[in-house]
Amino acid sequence: MMTRRMQASPDLPSVLLAAAERADHIWQLPSQQLVDATESKLTEIRKAEQSAIQVLSRIIDEHGWPGVRLVGIEGARAAWLLALRADRFPRAQERFLHRLKEAARRGDAEWSWWAHLYDRVCVQRGTPQSYGTQHILTGNRLVPHPVADAEELDARRKTVGLPPYERATSGLKTRARRARAVGTC
C-alpha cells in the first residue's frame, strides 16, 4: 500500500544516493589523513556521518526500510551502504539491521546486504561474524575478523546469496592492493 508521503517523495532515491556519496567520500579518506586531521575537520566529519544517519533514520521513520520497490535498486543499495557505515552509531546500526532483515524477508532487499550488515554489527559487538564479510588490513595482509563455525562458512554464505569465501576474498585482496597503491587504506 502506498501512502501519500511515498507518493509525495519521488526524490527519495536521489536523497539516499547523495547521502551515500557524501558518506563514501569520508569512508575513502586515507587513515593518515584522519589521524592528522584538525579538530575542526574531525567535527566536520562527525557532522557529515551524523547527517547521513539522520537521513536514513527519517526515511525509515516515514516509509519503513527504503527497499527496491520504494527507491529502486540504486537507492536501496545506497541505504544499505549508509547502514553499513554507521559504526559510530551502534544503536541506529542495529535498528537498521532489523529493518533490513524485514525488507529482505519481503523480497525488497538483498539477503547478502543483510549478511554484510549482520557481520558488521557482530564485529562492533565484539562477537564472531557469521558470513565472513568483514576484514581488517593488517600490514600488507587482509585478515578476516573472527568467524563463528568456520567449517560451515560457505554453507551459510550460500543461504544469503554470497559466493564461496575464497572466491569473494580474492577480489577483496585485489581491491585492497589497489587501494594501498593509491594510498586509500
Side-chain angles (χ1 to χ4, degrees), residues 106-123:
R106 291 190 311 270
D108 205 20
E110 299 289 332
W111 277 107
S112 61
W113 296 347
W114 174 83
H116 279 268
L117 186 55
Y118 179 81
D119 278 356
R120 185 61 151 251
V121 168
C122 287
V123 168

Side-chain angles (χ1 to χ4, degrees), residues 64-75:
W65 182 263
V68 175
R69 288 181 192 98
L70 180 63
V71 296
I73 190 72
E74 292 302 317

Side-chain angles (χ1 to χ4, degrees), residues 25-26 29 33-49 88:
H25 174 71
I26 292 166
L29 288 174
Q33 199 171 351
L34 292 173
V35 169
D36 296 338
T38 64
E39 191 58 41
S40 65
K41 182 65 173 176
L42 290 174
T43 299
E44 178 186 327
I45 289 169
R46 286 186 203 107
K47 283 181 181 178
E49 289 173 332
R88 292 185 200 258

Side-chain angles (χ1 to χ4, degrees), residues 45-121:
I45 289 169
R46 286 186 203 107
K47 283 181 181 178
E49 289 173 332
Q50 188 168 16
S51 173
I53 298 314
Q54 289 171 340
V55 164
L56 184 55
S57 292
R58 277 194 309 271
I59 290 171
I60 289 171
D61 289 346
E62 291 182 23
H63 306 285
W65 182 263
V68 175
R69 288 181 192 98
L70 180 63
V71 296
I73 190 72
E74 292 302 317
R77 186 174 187 286
W80 164 65
L81 287 172
L82 288 171
L84 192 66
R85 294 179 174 167
D87 294 345
R88 292 185 200 258
F89 306 90
R91 286 198 329 231
Q93 197 171 47
E94 289 204 25
R95 176 180 176 234
F96 300 156
L97 175 68
H98 295 296
R99 292 303 193 89
L100 180 55
K101 186 175 188 177
E102 293 167 1
R105 282 186 177 141
R106 291 190 311 270
D108 205 20
E110 299 289 332
W111 277 107
S112 61
W113 296 347
W114 174 83
H116 279 268
L117 186 55
Y118 179 81
D119 278 356
R120 185 61 151 251
V121 168

Side-chain angles (χ1 to χ4, degrees), residues 1 3 14-15 24 27 31 38 43 47 57-58 63 66 86 88 93 99 124-125 137 139 146 166-167 171 174 177 183:
M1 184 166 142
T3 67
S14 59
V15 168
D24 195 46
W27 190 257
S31 299
T38 64
T43 299
K47 283 181 181 178
S57 292
R58 277 194 309 271
H63 306 285
R88 292 185 200 258
Q93 197 171 47
R99 292 303 193 89
Q124 293 296 95
R125 290 179 186 156
L137 192 59
E166 287 304 318
R167 187 172 63 173
T174 300
R177 280 192 299 275

